């Protein structure tokens, strides 16, 4: 401590440790505060005339009170609100300039008539643009294989400047006079999963305040201002493209685009077109940004785009892109709301916009005038490539890239040359101790060499640097391997780990090397190595500046410049040393004999100038008498022993002893430790000058870039970006920040490095073990629901980072439980995984009845017609979607051109890319608009030269999810997913529904052989080459004669030919008396009792309802068996699916029947099903053929039944009693005729299969049986009728035409899917048609209603009941879902059929 106060800036451990730590801490903390803390908004709500911060905040809350994507109804509401707000602003400023509103405007630029209403030269115009449309291929957006047709709904406000063209030039097809104006833009649409507070609500309310400011009294600008509130940016910059079709787009020469790529913080200058326009951003009070972000966009490292590319690329304007950029985890989610932003962020963007627009609109120079670079662009002139960066958020530095390039080249040349010149001068004056091992000295006794030890420590720093850098790089790989996403929520923990690791390793190795081989040149050689490495990096930076026009390496120019200056100081220090000759003479002059030579072969080498024992003891005593020197600043070796790499504590050689012995005590005290004795004359304060030159520049420039760049990228891991890239980036930036400290760390005390070792240990453990996501840093998962309208199925897909995070999120969703989740690499998001499952049907299209499940109306969601032009590769599509204004045509092969009816033409934009388009995206400003699209395609042939035709899908999108229940699958994800999960959109639509189309090429005459299958074509060719025509004719003639005779034999009275058409296939005459249909009430409930149901639960009147249930926890769709006993009906309720899964046994059924009939002894109860006695109590009811709603006969015997049979009764007698008790024939629920009244009771003898012809029970024409399908259920005949009726049992029965049996599926799930597909493809369209257009006649309506209800019950419900689950829980859940949907359809049919 005494040493510190004696010389507080000396190059000793305590001053070095304190000063460097304070400087680094102060600068890093300042950068963090500036980066994290947004400047406060002024207390005065109106800091500028016409600006009201409070009003702007209330506008933001109103705007972000719901999601409002382009394809939503709320988007229209927001647009109307904006028009009203603009009117209110202009009305309030009525004492200022007058204004005029153009509510009707035609956007055509080719001489179309304009409709407008004007007063005399009004200075403010509001264009309510509802007619602009544009067709283009968005190659600039990275979608090179698609085309877009878009109808704009932009709001444009033009404030005429005092120096603008006074005429209404936009009313005619001419360009405006003057120097152009300023365009300021923001988009008012949001994404479908975010409220749009910062993307781009803050930009919208800022423009409203700009309109209010510049229309206030006395604030009219010199150059006119065009304020645009565009619509459709989120889906592909559509609004900006639509603006290019408006005549006012020819006016502005400069622009300011306000955007949001985050959800708060500071608004940063994303990018700029040139230096000249960037200088106007300097007027901002709190500028923020760096050119590095602009270069990221330029080189494609940032994949998203803003309207900037349209204004600059399509219109040729010069301007700025200002946007929010953090936190990315809230971007495009439900946390992009006013709650998670603030007034300070609002003011930060607003103040920058006001200052910039004021400057641009006040500039009357010719800076932004010049020739138009391309046809169709404004004559805004050309600017120079610029470099910009802010300093502490208060000042922004702006200069040209050519200036940076010139400075880079200068440093590359001047830097090395300067050091060489200084070294040459030092050599000339004999003071170049660097690179000198000894000095040859001539004296009277002969020649000798005195040790200099100037090479000591030369190779030290590169080894230390590489080891430390390898350490942090290894940490990057380690964290990427173990816990790659920890940076998502804890970036500063990663920063701390990297910084503490590098600093500790460098300190430890530097101190160890200094302990082993102390040298006064450690700092100088470290700086020299940094100069060499920096020079090589600067060469690469200079090449990028010149060849690629990239300015992102600007920090390296200044970084290298400071290293160069530090080296100049280090070389200049050597001028303070004595000449090497003087040092050698002095070393020799202190002794009677000549100095020892470092060469063993020297003529005087035999004289070793080692101190005597007394001298060494005295020296040690002197050290002990000076305790103030015994600090950490002194060498660890106090015993007069030096160290080498070869000998850790070897005795000093004679040369060193002689050298040390001749230095007096005063000089000796100036030598640090055991460094070279000549170092006493080096200045002790120059280190501070070197540090002050290097460290602040490196910390400020590199630290700012590091914070900004890492903040912009560390949460893009959810987008599929590489985690390793982020960690390597942090490692590199950490090295660059701490590198200026490296040359001084060998003078550090152990206190701070020890503390940093603890920091490293703690952060490493945390980074490897902590969960990477939190409620404030939620993992974004991308949602989409795809509906196949042809198959009637839908799937929900979540895309995100892989296991375990995506899997855990899906695991919590009820609809995904028990399903087989399908996961694959995402096609839409590179680097992510997409997992899909059968989801809850969306309700984006209103249904015909509120009780009808949404998927029953799938067929009506999209309507289209495709017609091919004969003989041409052209087709016309007519399509429209319900409750949407966004559809697509997706082709499996590219088209060459297309045209949408009513589309405007613009030669600046290609409709189709050069390699064709595989997708046409259609956006309409009106809802349910029918599109007419004409397409062309090139000849598309397969490998055999056959034309493939054109096939693909018609897709429509739905985005409006305002209100719960519209997209239940999305609501489910938000409700049940973990709180560390956020949901955002995957594509343009939250719900994408599609239908397939196929356009088959026609067979041109004379070319039929070209369309034959290839094997057949080869065979025919082979036969034709081997067989003569005569032989072939002789062979084929008999075959043709036989075929001819078979096809005509029936006309000659013979049998029917399978090749003929003589069978009368016309429908027979059928009257209403021939058939009657069982309705759902007739089957679910027994006859004679009415059936009611509510909320999906079957209910019976109190006189017949069974009050006993086996399991009351399953009230929905219980298993029901109908028990009949002497004219009384007993509905028996059981656990859902207890029959189908084999749970219910005959014994349980018998006990319940005894209880219901009041029989005390269950053994007296005999049960019969289809005439068969149920004997064995241990057998499952399913094995006996029982199904849902099966009817059983109950006979109560006077004696107990033994093994299912009463002692005094026979099977046939009981069956006859059963028939008599129930009054005649009965039709089972599947349509099988069980008995007939006309057939008298009789005893059957022999085996059951020995029946008389015509008396069979199943499928027998004589008994009215109907055909059955492969699963044993009644199949509808070709006439649509049924084979039997309960109300007309004696009616003649028409034989039904059974369908051929289809092969059975292999698994329960495949069986269920087959039934489900039958339900949707066969019955749902009929039901929807019936509910939409029910017959007006009551009898016909009832007939159709019963037919549909009965068919659904027989073909769907009963088939579902018969499917064996085989323990498959997923299939069981799937069956329950299908049952619920089917019951809902039956309920909807009841509502229409029974009214």
């Amino acid at each position: 401590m005494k040493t510190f106060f004696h010389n507080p800036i000396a190059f000793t451990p305590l001053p070095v440790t304190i000063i460097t730590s304070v400087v680094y801490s102060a600068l890093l903390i300042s950068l963090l505060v500036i980066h994290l803390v947004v400047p406060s908004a002024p207390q005065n709500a109106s800091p500028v005339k016409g600006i009201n911060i409070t009003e702007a905040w209330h506008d933001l809350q109103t705007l972000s009170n719901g999601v409002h994507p382009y394809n939503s109804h709320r988007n229209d509401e927001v647009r109307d609100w904006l028009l009203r707000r603009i009117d209110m602003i202009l009305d309030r400023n009525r004492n200022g300039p007058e204004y005029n509103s153009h509510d009707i405007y035609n956007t055509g630029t080719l001489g179309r008539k304009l409709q407008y209403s004007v007063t005399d030269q009004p200075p403010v115009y509001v264009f309510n643009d509802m007619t602009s449309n544009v067709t283009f291929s968005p190659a600039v957006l990275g979608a090179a294989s698609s085309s877009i047709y878009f109808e704009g709904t932009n709001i444009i406000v033009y404030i005429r400047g005092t120096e603008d063209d006074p005429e209404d030039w936009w009313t005619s097809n001419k360009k405006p006079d003057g120097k152009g104006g300023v365009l300021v833009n923001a988009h008012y649409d949001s994404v479908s999963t975010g409220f749009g507070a910062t993307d781009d609500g803050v930009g919208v309310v800022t423009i409203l305040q700009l309109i209010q400011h510049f229309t206030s009294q006395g604030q009219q600008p010199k150059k006119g201002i065009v304020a645009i509130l565009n619509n459709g940016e989120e889906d592909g910059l559509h609004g900006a493209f639509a603006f290019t079709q408006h005549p006012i787009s020819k006016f502005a020469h400069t622009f300011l685009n306000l955007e949001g790529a985050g959800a708060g913080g500071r608004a940063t200058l994303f990018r700029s077109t040139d230096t000249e326009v960037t200088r106007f951003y300097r007027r901002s009070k709190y500028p923020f940004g760096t050119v590095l972000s602009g270069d990221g966009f330029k080189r494609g490292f940032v994949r998203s785009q803003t309207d900037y590319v349209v204004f600059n690329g399509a219109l040729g304007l010069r301007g700025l892109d200002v946007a929010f950029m953090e936190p990315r985890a809230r971007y495009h989610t439900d946390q992009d709301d006013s709650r998670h932003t603030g007034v300070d962020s609002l003011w930060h963007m607003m103040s920058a916009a006001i200052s910039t627009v004021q400057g641009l609109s006040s500039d009357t120079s010719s800076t932004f005038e010049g020739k138009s670079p391309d046809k169709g662009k404004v004559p805004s002139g050309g600017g120079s490539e610029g470099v910009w960066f802010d300093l502490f958020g208060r000042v922004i530095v702006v200069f040209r890239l050519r200036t940076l390039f010139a400075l880079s080249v200068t440093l590359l040349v001047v830097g090395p040359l300067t050091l060489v010149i200084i070294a040459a001068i030092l050599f000339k004056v004999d003071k170049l101790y660097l690179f000198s091992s000894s000095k040859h000295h001539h004296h009277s006794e002969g020649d000798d060499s005195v040790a200099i030890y100037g090479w000591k420590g030369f190779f030290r720093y590169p080894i230390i640097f590489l080891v430390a850098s390898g350490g942090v790089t290894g940490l990057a790989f380690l964290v990427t391997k173990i816990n790659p996403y920890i940076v998502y929520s804890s970036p500063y923990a990663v920063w701390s780990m990297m910084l503490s690791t590098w600093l500790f390793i460098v300190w430890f190795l530097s101190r160890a090397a200094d302990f082993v081989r102390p040298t006064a040149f450690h700092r100088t050689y470290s700086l020299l190595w940094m100069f060499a490495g920096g020079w090589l990096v600067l060469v690469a930076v200079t090449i990028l500046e010149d060849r690629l026009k990239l300015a992102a390496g600007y920090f390296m120019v200044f970084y290298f410049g400071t290293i160069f200056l530090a080296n100049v100081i280090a070389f200049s220090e050597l001028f303070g040393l004595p000449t090497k000759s003087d040092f050698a003479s002095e070393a020799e002059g202190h002794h009677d004999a000549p100095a020892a030579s470092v060469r063993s072969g020297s003529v005087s080498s035999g004289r070793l100038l080692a101190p005597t024992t007394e001298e060494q003891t005295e020296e040690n005593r002197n050290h002990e008498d000076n305790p103030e020197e015994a600090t950490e600043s002194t060498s660890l070796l106090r015993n007069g022993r030096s160290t080498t790499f070869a000998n850790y504590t070897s005795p000093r050689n004679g040369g060193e002893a002689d050298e040390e012995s001749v230095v007096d005590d005063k000089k000796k005290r100036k030598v640090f430790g055991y460094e070279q004795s000549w170092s006493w004359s080096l200045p002790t304060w120059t280190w501070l000058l070197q540090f002050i030159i290097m460290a602040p520049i490196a910390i400020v420039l590199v630290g700012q870039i590091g914070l900004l760049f890492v903040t912009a990228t560390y949460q893009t891991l959810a987008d599929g970006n590489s985690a390793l890239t982020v960690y390597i980036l942090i490692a590199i930036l950490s090295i660059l920040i701490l590198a200026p400290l490296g040359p001084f760390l060998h003078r550090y005390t152990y206190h701070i490095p020890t503390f940093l070792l603890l920091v490293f240990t703690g952060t490493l453990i945390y980074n490897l073990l902590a969960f990477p996501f939190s409620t404030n840093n939620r993992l974004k998962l991308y949602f989409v629901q795809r509906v196949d309208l042809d198959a009637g199925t839908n799937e929900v897909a979540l895309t995100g980072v892989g296991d375990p995070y995506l899997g855990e999120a899906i695991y919590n969703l009820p609809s995904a439980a028990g399903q087989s989740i399908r996961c694959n690499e995402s096609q839409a998001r590179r680097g992510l995984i997409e997992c899909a499952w059968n989801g809850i049907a969306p309700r984006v299209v209103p249904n015909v009845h509120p009780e009808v499940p949404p998927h029953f109306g799938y067929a009506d969601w999209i309507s289209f017609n495709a017609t091919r032009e004969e003989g041409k590769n052209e087709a016309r599509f007519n399509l429209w979607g319900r409750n949407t204004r966004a559809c697509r045509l997706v082709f499996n092969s590219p088209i060459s051109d297309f045209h949408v009816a009513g589309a405007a033409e613009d030669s600046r934009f290609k409709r189709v890319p050069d390699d064709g388009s595989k997708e046409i995206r259609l956006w309409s400003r009106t809802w349910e608009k029918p599109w007419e699209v004409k397409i062309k395609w090139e000849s598309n042939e397969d490998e055999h030269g056959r034309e493939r035709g054109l096939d693909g899908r018609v897709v429509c999108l739905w985005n409006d999810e305002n209100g719960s229940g519209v997209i239940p699958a999305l609501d489910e994800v938000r409700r049940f997913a973990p709180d560390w999960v956020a949901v955002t959109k995957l594509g343009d639509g939250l719900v994408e529904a599609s239908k397939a189309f196929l356009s088959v090429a026609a067979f041109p005459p004379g070319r039929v052989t070209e369309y034959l299958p290839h094997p057949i074509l080869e065979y025919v060719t082979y036969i034709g080459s081997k067989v003569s025509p005569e032989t072939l004719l002789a062979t084929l003639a008999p075959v043709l004669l036989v075929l001819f005779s078979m096809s005509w034999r029936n006309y000659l009275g013979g049998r029917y030919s399978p090749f003929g058409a003589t069978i009368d296939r016309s429908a027979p005459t059928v009257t209403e008396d021939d058939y009657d249909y069982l309705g759902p009430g007739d089957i679910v409930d027994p006859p004679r009792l009415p059936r009611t149901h509510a909320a999906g639960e079957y209910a019976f009147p109190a006189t017949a309802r069974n009050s006993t249930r086996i399991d009351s926890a399953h009230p929905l769709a219980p298993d029901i068996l109908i028990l009949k006993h002497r004219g009384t009906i007993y509905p028996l309720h059981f656990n859902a699916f207890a029959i189908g899964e084999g749970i219910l046994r005959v014994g349980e059924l018998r006990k319940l029947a005894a209880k219901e009939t009041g029989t005390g002894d269950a053994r007296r109860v005999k049960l019969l099903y289809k005439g068969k006695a149920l004997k064995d109590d241990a057998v499952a009811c399913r094995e006996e053929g029982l199904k849902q709603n099966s009817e059983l006969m109950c006979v109560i015997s006077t004696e107990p039944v033994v093994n299912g049979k009463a002692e005094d009764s026979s099977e046939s007698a009981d069956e006859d009693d059963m028939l008599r008790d129930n009054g005649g024939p009965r039709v089972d629920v599947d349509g099988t005729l069980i008995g007939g009244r006309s057939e008298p009771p009789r005893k059957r003898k022999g085996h059951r299969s020995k029946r008389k012809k015509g008396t069979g029970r199943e499928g027998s024409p004589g008994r009215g049986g109907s055909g059955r399908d492969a699963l044993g259920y009644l199949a509808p005949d070709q006439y649509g009728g049924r084979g039997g009726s309960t109300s007309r049992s004696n009616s003649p029965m028409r034989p039904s035409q059974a369908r051929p049996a289809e092969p059975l599926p292999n698994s329960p799930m495949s069986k269920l899917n087959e039934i489900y597909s039958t339900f949707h493809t066969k019955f749902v369209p009929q039901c929807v048609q019936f509910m939409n257009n029910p017959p007006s006649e009551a009898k016909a309506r009832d007939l159709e209603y019963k037919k549909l209800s009965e068919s659904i019950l027989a073909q769907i419900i009963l088939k579902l009941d018969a499917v064996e689950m085989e323990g498959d829980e997923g299939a069981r859940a799937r069956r329950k879902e299908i049952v619920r949907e089917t019951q809902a359809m039956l309920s909807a049919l009841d509502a229409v059929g029974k009214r």
Side-chain angles (χ1 to χ4, degrees), residues 938-1139:
E938 302 295 336
S939 179
N940 184 20
E941 298 180 347
D942 61 13
E943 63 273 14
H944 303 302
R946 295 173 296 186
E947 187 175 351
R948 298 179 187 271
L950 190 68
D951 56 351
R953 303 192 71 85
V954 177
V955 184
C956 285
L957 313 177
W958 287 265
N959 301 75
D960 198 344
E961 57 121 358
N962 286 290
S964 178
V966 178
I967 308 178
L970 180 59
D971 297 337
E972 180 189 46
V973 174
R974 286 176 171 163
R975 184 178 301 114
F976 293 103
D979 58 0
W980 45 266
V981 167
V983 185
T984 187
K985 68 183 185 73
L986 178 66
D988 295 341
L990 290 175
V991 176
E992 300 178 357
S994 65
K995 288 184 177 181
F997 62 84
L998 178 64
S999 176
V1000 182
F1003 287 86
R1007 298 183 59 192
V1008 176
T1009 56
E1010 297 184 13
Y1011 296 89
L1012 291 175
H1014 191 63
I1016 297 177
L1017 185 60
E1018 289 182 347
Y1019 180 75
V1020 171
T1021 304
Y1022 173 78
I1023 293 296
S1025 63
K1026 299 294 183 181
V1027 182
S1028 64
E1030 294 80 5
T1031 304
L1032 185 62
L1033 180 61
T1035 303
L1036 293 179
V1039 177
L1040 295 175
L1041 182 61
V1042 171
L1043 293 177
F1044 178 80
S1045 62
M1046 290 176 65
S1047 62
W1048 283 92
R1049 183 177 173 185
N1050 56 80
Y1051 289 106
L1052 302 177
R1055 62 176 179 84
Y1056 288 122
S1057 168
F1059 300 98
T1062 59
I1063 298 177
D1064 184 9
R1065 299 185 180 274
S1066 61
T1069 303
V1070 181
T1071 64
E1072 293 181 1
D1073 294 335
D1074 292 331
Y1075 289 93
D1076 198 2
Y1077 295 95
L1078 294 176
D1082 298 326
I1083 294 178
V1084 175
D1085 293 338
R1088 311 188 201 118
L1089 290 177
R1091 171 181 172 271
T1092 61
H1093 64 274
E1097 181 178 354
Y1098 289 95
F1100 295 86
T1103 57
R1105 184 182 178 93
N1106 172 32
S1107 60
T1108 303
R1109 291 190 180 184
I1110 292 178
D1111 187 356
S1112 60
H1114 297 269
L1116 183 62
D1119 280 6
I1120 301 175
L1121 294 176
I1122 308 301
L1123 183 69
K1124 292 184 178 181
H1125 176 62
R1126 296 191 178 277
T1128 304
I1129 298 173
Y1130 301 91
L1132 306 181
H1133 292 236
F1134 302 95
N1135 191 11
F1137 305 107
I1139 303 173

Side-chain angles (χ1 to χ4, degrees), residues 222-262:
K222 292 182 179 180
K223 296 168 67 174
I225 297 173
V226 176
I228 310 173
L229 299 176
N230 82 68
N231 194 12
E233 189 271 351
E234 295 291 358
D235 300 311
L237 315 184
H238 299 157
F241 276 104
F243 172 73
T244 63
Q245 306 302 298
H246 199 288
I248 203 73
S249 65
K250 298 181 290 186
F251 171 71
H253 286 193
T254 59
F255 72 91
L256 172 65
N257 183 53
L258 304 177
E259 251 296 356

Side-chain angles (χ1 to χ4, degrees), residues 68-79 130 149-153 188-189 231-232 235 238 880-888 921-931 955-960:
H68 45 282
Y70 179 87
N71 189 24
S72 69
H73 293 280
R74 178 166 172 77
N75 183 274
D76 295 335
E77 298 172 3
V78 168
R79 186 176 183 281
M130 293 294 286
Y149 168 79
F150 179 79
E151 297 177 355
T153 57
Y188 65 84
D189 63 308
N231 194 12
D235 300 311
H238 299 157
W880 71 284
R882 292 187 59 193
N883 197 36
T884 185
R885 51 185 182 185
C887 289
R888 296 178 178 178
R921 304 176 185 179
L922 305 169
W923 300 85
S924 170
R925 67 175 60 89
T926 57
W927 292 93
E928 300 186 355
K929 174 185 177 177
W931 280 287
V955 184
C956 285
L957 313 177
W958 287 265
N959 301 75
D960 198 344

Side-chain angles (χ1 to χ4, degrees), residues 86-117:
I86 293 172
D87 286 342
M88 291 172 59
I89 290 171
L90 298 179
D91 286 341
R92 188 164 52 197
N93 293 339
R94 59 184 179 273
N95 293 327
E98 300 179 46
Y99 78 96
N100 177 41
S101 178
H102 283 201
D103 292 325
I104 304 176
Y105 186 78
N106 193 316
T107 60
T109 58
L110 300 177
R112 296 182 179 179
K113 184 179 180 181
L114 305 177
Q115 301 179 23
Y116 60 95
S117 173

Side-chain angles (χ1 to χ4, degrees), residues 1181-1210:
C1181 293
R1182 181 184 64 184
E1183 301 299 326
E1184 297 289 356
L1186 292 176
K1187 298 178 285 293
Q1188 173 80 331
N1189 302 314
S1190 292
E1191 296 179 359
L1192 300 99
M1193 298 303 131
C1194 177
V1195 178
I1196 308 300
S1197 175
T1198 56
E1199 298 294 334
V1201 177
V1202 180
N1203 293 327
K1205 184 181 295 185
E1207 296 179 354
D1208 60 347
S1209 62
S1210 67

Side-chain angles (χ1 to χ4, degrees), residues 1074-1078 1226-1235 1257-1268 1273-1298 1347 1350-1351 1354-1355:
D1074 292 331
Y1075 289 93
D1076 198 2
Y1077 295 95
L1078 294 176
R1226 177 174 62 86
V1227 178
D1228 193 57
V1229 290
D1230 58 3
T1232 304
L1233 186 64
I1234 298 298
R1257 290 185 181 274
E1258 296 182 355
S1260 174
R1263 298 294 301 272
S1266 62
R1268 294 177 175 270
Y1273 296 110
L1274 183 67
D1277 59 26
Q1278 61 181 345
Y1279 308 112
R1282 289 291 300 260
S1285 173
T1286 57
S1287 60
R1288 302 183 62 85
S1289 59
N1290 292 323
S1291 298
M1293 313 303 290
R1294 184 181 304 277
S1296 61
Q1297 184 72 23
K1347 181 178 71 173
E1350 176 194 358
S1351 299
Q1355 296 296 312

Side-chain angles (χ1 to χ4, degrees), residues 60 73 173 201 213 455 645 772 790 853 989 992 1022 1027 1327 1332 1340 1351:
L60 179 64
H73 293 280
N173 191 22
H213 170 71
W455 277 98
F645 289 112
D790 297 321
E992 300 178 357
Y1022 173 78
V1027 182
C1327 294
N1332 286 336
S1351 299

